[in-house]
Amino acid sequence: MLTREDYIKYTAEAAKYFEKAGIAITEEERARIEVAEYELGCIDKVGLELLVYVNTDRCCAKELVLLPGQTCPEHRHPEVNGKVGKEETFRCRYGEVYLYVDGEGDGVTKAKIPEGMEKYFTCKKEIILKPGEQYTIMPDTFHWFQAGPDGAVVSEFSTKSRDEYDIYTDPRIDAAGKRHAD
Ligand code: ZN
């Protein structure tokens, strides 16, 4: 569980990144920045901060902040009640993002998988996103991503978010049955 102190600390950090990225947010939005820590107790490695702008039946837009080295764990967005899973586009606004999707890699990755969690990060195809670059993840395909040394701000444009149905490679996250992030 995230402590109140951690919540304050990580949302304050995230707010600084919005500034660095030149992304204006209102006071109301500042007050509802969320912290996803996936109940693993290692938020500096597996965790991220986010701000949801809109999430309707048809579309969703949010901002993700990853502090240096923070990782969004591997997951996919499955079909739910006959509705195709979420399609999402990540656009880097600040810093650098190392994104991994289903496919072959060359064995050398920029990201550092959190120690002892190698089996929960199976996607090997690497896509490096710098500011102004983007990539679209098709529904129900595994992906994970990590910020580079300067952290990252990533805009996410997608179909509806149904975070509670996301499937994580790490069974501890699914078992936590909590709201997920992206
Ligand atoms: Zn996702």
Side-chain angles (χ1 to χ4, degrees), residues 75 77 88 90 143 182:
H75 64 281
H77 307 285
E88 58 192 10
F90 296 125
H143 53 284
D182 49 81

Side-chain angles (χ1 to χ4, degrees), residues 72 75-77 86 88 90 137 141 143 145 156 166 182:
C72 174
H75 64 281
R76 62 186 166 87
H77 307 285
K86 184 169 72 152
E88 58 192 10
F90 296 125
I137 310 280
T141 60
H143 53 284
F145 48 97
E156 179 185 324
D166 293 347
D182 49 81

